[in-house]
Amino acid sequence: MPAYDKVKIARKVSRPTALDYINHIFDDFIELHGDRGFRDDSAIVGGIAMLGDTPVTVIGVQKGKTMEENIKRNFGQPHPEGYRKTLRLMKQAEKFRRPIINFINTSGAYPGVGAEERGQGEAIARNLMEMIDLRVPTISIVIGEGGSGGALALAVTDRVWMLENSVYAVLSPEGFASILWKDAKRAKEAADVMKITAEDLYDLGVVEKVIKEVDGGAQNDFGFTANLIKSKLETELAELTAKDTDTLLSERYDRFRRFGEFKE
Amino acid sequence: MKLLNNIRSGIDKISVENLKGKVTAIKDAIPVPEKKEKKEKPKKAEKSADKDKKEEIPDGFIKCPSCSAVIDKKDLGALKICPKCAKLFRMNAKDRVKAIADKGSFDEFDINMESVNPLDFPDYEVKIKSLQEKTGLKDAVKTGRCTIGGRPCVLGVMDSGFMMGSLGSVVGEKLTRAFEYATENKLPVIIFTCSGGARMQEGIISLMQMAKVSAAAAKHSDAGLLYVTVLTDPTTGGVTASYAMLGDIILSEPKTLIGFAGRRVIEGTIKQKLPDDFQTSEFLLEHGFIDAIVERESLPGVLADILKLHNVEKAGEA
């Protein structure tokens, strides 16, 4: 399948959202709001829940399925206070020794005036620096779009997984084509060279697992993909929780340390 | 012109000026604020006006983008400041190291590290090679150990002359090693940032450099060591969203473009023109994201004082 077709599936309005997965996979989800600094960003949802017998912290970037929902969720484009909310919840998880599971589905951090005034760059940077040191197991799953720094801000985790029809990229194919070729219409071509599909990123070692979807995408059989995620999370968390914390942290450091190709 | 085309297609969002002694404006996603008037002129008129002006500027001279005075390049001095209006021209890494490190103290790391093509991106190697020949740089950052006011530190300086200082594997690896060296040797790190952001040709691998460098910065910080960033024009995109904003102390030069999203992207989203001072160092200071704006000539002294205030002993006295 051409990469751009995956982009289209990843962006489908009917595609299951973070809250769909959270509600299906976990029990007793209690949503927690606000960054304690400025406001609650509805593009980010997060809280505490049970995965089987284990209390966990779950966080997601939330898109809407209707125009009304999307306006409320800012089309899944977080502001700095959204990232600061995620950091608050992750530090809380660390305090109470809860594993953290992040569901990523964003075209990117919101490019707006307020976002710049409140330090979008600083908020993302802070997450990258803090997440590498969190003393609990962390897993992130790209369930739709994984757009640039706005996605990475939730993906500095022990494991990064992608759904089969999700994409993860330094920039949208449209943005990429417009920067490199001054022509956003060449997005399809850009998608082909950018290596943004789950399969490509698995080959590059950027993600550890690709989770299957039924033909046409997860919306066609939501339970299938959600159940798969659940069982894989249970297995993986058991393994990660068994590691001593120093090992966990040094493996996480090495996971990101090895990226890059050069000669000297 | 070939170089220009290479850079034009290779860079991420920023205007480039002063290539081979010619002043050339490139419209891009984040124009530097003072170029704004130019952008609003009709395209054709702008082009021919630019062409005429270019022809008027003799070799060895340069037109100040701020006050429009035509200046003998020698008169910019070592600090590259317009003698007429005090506009700060962009400094390359070599000149910056010379201006900041004590004379002869800079011991450069990883001199021979250079890019490969991790995603097999079409023509990336060709672009790198031609830029290397034209700039004399291997890639967009210099790192090394030096002293400032006699006090030792690890210094990293990015260079906008090489693919707009974009963050590829080489920049990420060199900065990561610089942090690791500093952690091991209990030294402070000072980084001068200057970048259009991610390096598009390295795609996701470029994005991963943000995490890699930030992780190394975290380890350095965990060891109780000092990290200072000096944000210089322009600092944008993925560099802003990673190590630029992670300094214990964040300094900037006056009138520096600093931001995450590009001006044109934001204007396209909100369907409004942004004010001229948006995303300048003054704007960031007002909003609480940098500690201080420091004049270019004062930077070595201020950095030396910061090292002193963090008990970094003078070399030979430790």
Side-chain angles (χ1 to χ4, degrees), chain B:
Chain B
M1 203 55 208
K2 197 181 161 211
L3 168 64
L4 194 54
N5 281 332
N6 282 337
I7 293 180
R8 191 197 297 255
S9 55
I11 59 175
D12 172 3
K13 301 171 179 175
I14 309 292
S15 299
V16 172
E17 55 198 62
N18 185 21
L19 287 166
K20 296 183 82 184
K22 290 174 186 165
V23 177
T24 313
I26 298 174
K27 292 183 287 105
D28 249 307
I30 313 176
V32 288
E34 60 268 23
K35 292 243 172 71
K36 217 184 149 210
E37 321 80 82
K38 230 182 226 174
K39 242 193 89 183
E40 283 162 1
K41 283 182 195 166
K43 219 175 175 180
K44 242 186 170 172
E46 180 195 316
K47 250 188 185 165
S48 64
D50 259 13
K51 210 179 159 199
D52 292 342
K53 274 178 212 155
K54 243 192 283 174
E55 281 160 7
E56 285 164 20
I57 298 167
D59 271 1
F61 284 76
I62 184 167
K63 199 184 87 172
C64 175
S66 183
C67 69
S68 299
V70 175
I71 304 150
D72 187 334
K73 278 179 159 185
K74 284 180 220 129
D75 294 339
L76 291 176
L79 294 179
K80 310 288 177 225
I81 300 172
C82 173
K84 298 268 198 282
C85 73
K87 151 92 186 163
L88 301 176
F89 282 69
R90 287 180 189 160
M91 286 179 86
N92 65 33
K94 196 173 147 209
D95 289 342
R96 182 69 78 174
V97 169
K98 214 185 271 176
I100 297 297
D102 294 340
K103 206 176 172 194
S105 73
F106 188 65
D107 179 12
E108 191 173 348
F109 301 156
D110 305 312
I111 294 173
N112 293 317
M113 192 187 296
E114 53 185 322
S115 264
V116 295
N117 190 355
L119 303 188
D120 297 321
F121 195 86
D123 299 331
Y124 182 41
E125 286 114 326
V126 180
K127 194 160 291 176
I128 291 277
K129 190 138 217 101
S130 99
L131 271 173
Q132 285 177 335
E133 278 163 16
K134 271 158 188 155
T135 62
L137 298 164
K138 291 277 189 207
D139 211 288
V141 73
K142 273 186 190 295
T143 54
R145 185 186 167 133
C146 70
T147 58
I148 298 173
R151 296 171 203 277
C153 64
V154 169
L155 179 65
V157 179
M158 302 184 75
D159 195 317
S160 64
F162 195 96
M163 293 186 86
M164 208 52 237
S166 56
L167 174 58
S169 294
V170 173
V171 174
E173 183 68 21
K174 283 174 86 165
L175 290 174
T176 301
R177 286 189 190 178
F179 271 111
E180 289 175 340
Y181 176 89
T183 305
E184 210 169 290
N185 293 281
K186 300 190 169 45
L187 288 170
V189 172
I190 298 172
I191 296 181
F192 281 73
T193 61
C194 175
S195 177
R199 184 166 297 178
M200 293 299 135
Q201 292 85 347
E202 295 193 26
I204 197 82
I205 303 299
S206 171
L207 192 71
M208 292 302 124
Q209 303 308 308
M210 292 167 62
K212 182 167 101 176
V213 180
S214 301
K219 268 201 172 176
H220 182 256
S221 181
D222 293 344
L225 297 163
L226 170 70
Y227 172 33
V228 179
T229 51
V230 185
L231 314 184
T232 72
D233 191 67
T235 295
T236 62
V239 170
T240 301
S242 60
Y243 54 90
M245 284 293 161
L246 295 175
D248 296 299
I249 294 175
I250 304 178
L251 307 176
S252 178
E253 293 185 323
K255 297 192 177 122
T256 295
L257 169 67
I258 307 162
F260 173 64
R263 170 181 282 263
R264 280 217 309 224
V265 176
I266 299 171
E267 287 180 341
T269 307
I270 63 170
K271 315 280 182 234
Q272 273 172 32
K273 279 267 163 224
L274 292 164
D276 279 353
D277 69 343
F278 188 67
Q279 295 182 321
T280 57
S281 37
E282 292 75 15
F283 174 95
L284 267 84
L285 183 70
E286 189 190 331
H287 287 95
F289 287 96
I290 59 178
D291 289 291
I293 295 172
V294 181
E295 295 294 336
R296 186 169 281 177
E297 56 270 28
S298 309
L299 275 170
V302 169
L303 289 170
D305 285 348
I306 290 173
L307 294 177
K308 182 176 144 196
L309 286 160
H310 289 80
N311 303 315
V312 179
E313 299 289 342
K314 284 198 173 186
E317 289 178 15

Side-chain angles (χ1 to χ4, degrees), chain A residues 97-234:
Chain A
R97 300 178 187 282
R98 288 192 289 264
I100 298 163
I101 297 145
N102 293 337
F103 293 90
I104 296 167
N105 189 13
T106 180
S107 57
Y110 185 64
V113 174
E116 292 291 317
E117 286 173 342
R118 299 194 291 280
Q120 190 72 285
E122 192 276 343
I124 294 170
R126 186 68 47 205
N127 268 22
L128 308 185
M129 194 185 208
E130 295 286 344
M131 287 181 77
I132 204 77
D133 275 347
L134 289 169
R135 299 182 69 79
V136 290
T138 55
I139 297 176
S140 54
I141 311 170
V142 184
I143 57 170
E145 288 184 278
S148 195
L152 182 67
L154 290 175
V156 183
T157 46
D158 298 313
R159 300 286 182 266
V160 182
W161 299 345
M162 286 177 76
L163 299 194
E164 194 180 348
N165 293 305
S166 61
V167 291
Y168 185 15
V170 68
L171 192 62
S172 70
E174 290 80 7
F176 186 94
S178 114
I179 284 179
L180 274 190
W181 304 320
K182 308 286 166 228
D183 185 2
K185 291 193 197 80
R186 290 171 70 184
K188 243 181 132 163
E189 202 182 321
D192 284 335
V193 295
M194 286 173 74
K195 303 229 172 26
I196 60 176
T197 66
E199 201 183 346
D200 281 339
L201 295 169
Y202 178 81
D203 290 342
L204 285 168
V206 173
V207 303
E208 281 91 3
K209 260 191 215 318
V210 178
I211 297 167
K212 281 214 174 316
E213 302 175 36
V214 296
D215 280 353
Q219 74 283 354
N220 291 342
D221 189 346
F222 168 65
F224 173 81
T225 303
N227 290 336
L228 258 179
I229 294 176
K230 184 175 185 180
S231 72
K232 286 180 194 297
L233 278 176
E234 284 170 341

